[in-house]
Amino acid sequence: MAGSNGHIAWGFTNSYGEWFSLRHVACSHLDEDRIRTPEGELTRDPHQRAHRRARDAEESFEILMVGDAVLLEADPVHASCWLGAWLAQKPDATNLRLMGLERARTVDEALAIAPEIGIPHQNLLVGDSDGHIGWSIAGRIPRDTGATRAQGDVRWVSAAEHPRLVDPPIGRLWTANARVVADPAAESLLGGHAAALGAEYDLGARAQQIRDALLPSIGRPRCRHAAHSAR
């Protein structure tokens, strides 16, 4: 995904942060519509539906929930269930503020929008017509860095705490569907060194190829203070 309004140009890559809470709980089967866990019963909710479209065919199905967690996998015979919650399911984590990029004229204006953008989290790279470049996370980031950060009432980090980097001394920024921060505080906000679900993140072969192609290129943008470091 990429775009430009003539003053700035931007692009997204997957951030590979830990934006999902996954829990393993003991469970027992009651009937086809109910499963019991230590946190309560999971009951089939007819108001919760997922839709999948393939070749113009649409499928909908009801899901089991306990609180704001979804039953992902159940094996009541072995008393084993997995519950998951995604930050994007939070009502205040989804909005249309991404549209603000249409009106931003500078890197600073674009990065100021990033902490309030309500989309699944992405690396945001942006450059402006004055030659400045910047990186941030597009998407609201929870203050809680623990295993339940996607559950319950979520408190979001402030714009001042939101990871960002502007005009690094090396004069280049690059991403390739990978986590890019090196600063410990910023890495903690993205979910620590290793993401849950076994997702981990690419060690950087593609990003390295992009970096190696960028470094010999001519011209460097102006250098300014960076709030957080990135690689």
Side-chain angles (χ1 to χ4, degrees), residues 23 25-28 30 34-43 65-67 71 81 83:
R23 289 177 296 133
V25 298
C27 64
S28 57
L30 299 179
R34 292 185 299 159
I35 290 177
R36 177 176 293 146
T37 76
E39 301 175 27
E41 289 186 7
L42 292 87
T43 304
M65 297 189 69
V66 56
L71 176 66
C81 285
L83 303 177

Side-chain angles (χ1 to χ4, degrees), residues 29-105:
H29 188 256
L30 299 179
D31 55 47
E32 63 178 10
D33 291 323
R34 292 185 299 159
I35 290 177
R36 177 176 293 146
T37 76
E39 301 175 27
E41 289 186 7
L42 292 87
T43 304
R44 193 174 301 278
D45 186 346
H47 302 294
Q48 297 288 342
R49 296 177 180 268
H51 301 275
R52 186 171 56 228
R53 183 174 293 278
R55 297 181 181 179
D56 297 325
E58 185 175 277
E59 178 184 355
S60 64
F61 52 91
E62 298 171 347
I63 59 177
L64 294 173
M65 297 189 69
V66 56
D68 53 2
V70 177
L71 176 66
L72 300 176
E73 182 178 303
D75 182 4
V77 173
H78 297 93
S80 174
C81 285
W82 289 94
L83 303 177
W86 185 26
L87 278 168
Q89 294 173 285
K90 298 296 182 183
D92 51 348
T94 305
N95 57 51
L96 295 177
R97 292 174 188 164
L98 177 65
M99 304 291 287
L101 292 180
E102 293 183 346
R103 298 180 295 277
R105 301 175 69 91

Side-chain angles (χ1 to χ4, degrees), residues 101-125:
L101 292 180
E102 293 183 346
R103 298 180 295 277
R105 301 175 69 91
T106 67
V107 163
D108 285 335
E109 290 180 5
L111 296 188
I113 297 169
E116 296 298 323
I117 291 176
I119 63 172
H121 301 79
Q122 299 283 293
N123 288 308
L124 167 64
L125 288 183

Side-chain angles (χ1 to χ4, degrees), residues 213-227:
L214 285 174
L215 289 181
S217 61
I218 299 174
R220 292 191 175 188
R222 300 177 181 90
C223 296
R224 290 186 290 171
H225 173 73

Side-chain angles (χ1 to χ4, degrees), residues 160-183:
E161 298 169 290
H162 204 85
R164 61 179 287 173
L165 178 64
V166 178
D167 289 347
I170 197 173
R172 310 288 188 275
L173 287 169
W174 57 90
T175 71
N177 287 349
R179 202 179 311 184
V180 300
V181 297
D183 177 78

